[in-house]
Amino acid sequence: MPPLKVLSALDSARTQYYHFKAIIIAGMGLFTDAYDLFCIPPIMILIGRIHYEDQPDKFEIPPAVISAMVAVALLGTAIGQVVFGYLGDRIGRRRVYGLSLMLMSLSSLGCGFSVCRSRVCVLGSLGFFRFLLGLGIGGDYPLSATIMSEFANKMTRGAFIAAVFSMQGFGILASSVVTMIVCKAFDRASGADAADPTPQSADIAWRVILMLGAIPAALTCYWRMMMPETARYTALVEQNVLQAAKDMEKVLDVSLSQIAEDHPIPPLAPPSYPLLSRQFFRRHGQDLLSCAITWFLLDIVFYSSNLFQSKIYKRFIPDKFKVNAFEAALEVAKLQAIVAAYSTIPGYWAAVFFIDRVGRVKIQMMGFLFMAAVYFAIGIPYYSHWDHHTDRGFMFLYGLTFFFANLGPNTTTFIVPAELFPARFRSTCHGLSGAAGKLGAMVGSVGFLWASHKKKEEGYPKAIGMMVSLVILGGVCIVGAVITYLFTPETKGRSLEENENDDEEATEMSLLRCSRSHNSTTRPGSNHCSEVAAASSA
């Protein structure tokens, strides 16, 4: 069965300027996502200095408040992934794409304003706007991945989607650099020192850092609105093949005659089974379950990285009573920048290089297994060694968890759902998979944070401790590798239509081929199309 010319042209297109433009436009949402999420640790230090100076644990925000601030953003992200993913399939990728970025821009500004200055009001309004920010961030995940997958050619599609996702690494680095610059500028302007640990301008500094996150998102809104709808959505979902060819004529820099069909294309029959129906699960249930579970397991481990941060900060950051608020926040941002530069960003770009050479399944399994090895190396001797030796060796192992996560499952779990499912379900299924991941993120960033304390300390109750927590996380990685091996299909080097494995869509395309043949044949009595149609209805 010959595919539509416009889809064949997309699959075989040479790499050109528009692909790189699409990477920047699609990736800017993930850049903003990482900026907004990773600027929070130093900002919480500033807020703790401002609003918790009179508490028994001076300058320390209670664990329940920190957990609530983390969870509310992740909850918003999970909801946004499902809602925007569904809308992307129902009303189009382009129409929803700009909306998610506008929501991110406005909520970033809202986080900075936070409407008041009392502790309860500031934290309440900050939590509300971070929930809205999470909605926008969540919406960006399925739309960015889906749009890039539907624009890319089949041989370099993985690298293009990975490059979009790698913008997160630059967002992390940008958040740290901006935080350091703002804190240094305010520190010099205020003339603060340890004798004046929390100058009044600190309340302005954290707001400025958050509001600056709206700039990259706002600058990209116009370009997102100008992007054409993807040819696969227009042709396969809206069933307008001619319009898809016209849109791709501009993108692919080819003449319309090369990608337009030779004969008029009749509208395809609407699909006979809806999303999440019995037939859907029979055809795509295993793929959806595999994507959701591996993303869930990955985010449990990936977002539990804050288990290590307290130990690293205690080793490398000066005593909080010997520095002012700006210096304390700057030191945390500096460490984040170092980790991003030597492990996070290299991991992302290693994935860009290897993803289409090695394949999704092998890289995902390798990433899970190496992460497990690192967690066991830290966890098993934790109390006998690492608890008293948080030195460069510990920092190196800590960085390896990010490197192998980004080289492996953190990138592949973003890519694979954008390649496996039919066009009419692609964005929704990616959103459902990502939402499962964010539920795992809540377990990792909140549940394991509370579980990691062996004794009652710093506002946390007694629990299983770091050693058991880290060994469990290593076990989670092993489970992720096994599920990847057993259930995740390889999508490397195949067109999206080949990956769909949708019998009904194949029947529809057979009917389409019959219509072409019928229009061009000189044998008006041919009944092959009626036979195919009868088989389809049966």
Side-chain angles (χ1 to χ4, degrees), residues 202-226:
D203 195 42
I204 300 174
W206 71 264
R207 299 171 188 270
V208 170
I209 295 168
L210 283 174
M211 288 190 286
L212 287 175
I215 294 176
L219 291 176
T220 319
C221 279
Y222 171 78
W223 296 109
R224 284 202 174 182
M225 299 304 294
M226 293 298 102

Side-chain angles (χ1 to χ4, degrees), residues 106-329:
L106 294 176
S107 54
S108 293
L109 293 174
C111 287
F113 282 112
S114 292
V115 303
C116 48
R117 296 188 64 180
S118 68
R119 180 169 67 203
V120 174
C121 188
V122 164
L123 292 174
S125 60
L126 181 59
F128 171 74
F129 284 114
R130 280 185 62 74
F131 176 79
L132 295 181
L133 179 64
L135 289 177
I137 289 172
D140 206 75
Y141 271 72
L143 294 170
S144 293
T146 299
I147 286 176
M148 196 67 244
S149 72
E150 293 182 343
F151 273 129
N153 67 64
K154 65 181 180 180
M155 299 310 296
T156 58
R157 184 178 60 239
F160 287 158
I161 305 175
V164 169
F165 196 59
S166 73
M167 296 297 287
Q168 280 194 333
F170 295 107
I172 296 170
L173 186 61
S175 72
S176 301
V177 171
V178 168
T179 300
M180 288 189 288
I181 292 173
V182 170
C183 286
K184 196 66 177 178
F186 273 81
D187 189 21
R188 288 189 176 183
S190 65
D193 54 28
D196 181 21
T198 311
Q200 290 186 350
S201 56
D203 195 42
I204 300 174
W206 71 264
R207 299 171 188 270
V208 170
I209 295 168
L210 283 174
M211 288 190 286
L212 287 175
I215 294 176
L219 291 176
T220 319
C221 279
Y222 171 78
W223 296 109
R224 284 202 174 182
M225 299 304 294
M226 293 298 102
M227 290 181 74
E229 185 56 85
T230 68
R232 285 184 163 87
Y233 184 85
T234 304
L236 300 177
V237 181
E238 294 185 337
Q239 303 173 13
N240 190 340
V241 179
L242 179 59
Q243 184 60 50
K246 289 179 179 178
D247 290 340
M248 291 306 101
E249 178 189 20
K250 305 171 186 176
V251 172
L252 298 176
D253 193 25
V254 295
S255 66
L256 184 62
S257 62
Q258 293 177 271
I259 55 177
E261 299 302 314
D262 297 327
H263 302 284
I265 304 297
L268 300 178
S272 63
Y273 65 93
L275 177 72
L276 304 183
S277 64
R278 180 178 297 179
Q279 288 174 292
F280 171 88
F281 282 112
R282 179 167 60 83
R283 290 184 168 98
H284 312 293
Q286 178 177 306
D287 291 339
L288 180 58
L289 193 63
S290 172
C291 291
I293 291 177
T294 50
W295 206 331
F296 175 82
L297 296 174
L298 176 275
D299 275 4
I300 289 177
V301 179
F302 189 75
Y303 280 83
S304 68
S305 60
N306 54 21
L307 292 178
F308 308 117
Q309 289 179 356
S310 61
K311 291 296 179 183
I312 292 176
Y313 293 169
K314 287 180 181 178
R315 170 66 176 81
F316 293 98
I317 292 179
D319 186 277
K320 62 184 179 181
F321 297 110
K322 296 181 180 179
V323 294
N324 62 45
F326 297 123
E327 292 170 334

Side-chain angles (χ1 to χ4, degrees), residues 31 56 67 75 119 139 165 216 245 331 359 411 467:
F31 177 97
S67 297
L75 178 62
R119 180 169 67 203
F165 196 59
E331 291 299 324
T411 299
M467 184 185 77

Side-chain angles (χ1 to χ4, degrees), residues 7 113 116 136 152 161 163 195 198 224 261 301 308 349 359-360 371 382 400-401 409 425 435-436 439 455 459:
L7 302 188
F113 282 112
C116 48
I161 305 175
T198 311
R224 284 202 174 182
E261 299 302 314
V301 179
F308 308 117
W349 285 96
R360 286 68 160 149
M371 289 170 67
Y382 183 81
L400 284 183
T401 62
F425 302 137
L439 296 179
K455 59 183 180 180

Side-chain angles (χ1 to χ4, degrees), residues 84-97 99 229 233 237-238:
F84 281 91
Y86 177 75
L87 292 176
D89 284 334
R90 287 299 300 270
I91 64 177
R93 286 69 156 123
R94 187 186 69 85
R95 294 177 184 175
V96 184
Y97 205 27
L99 179 61
E229 185 56 85
Y233 184 85
V237 181
E238 294 185 337

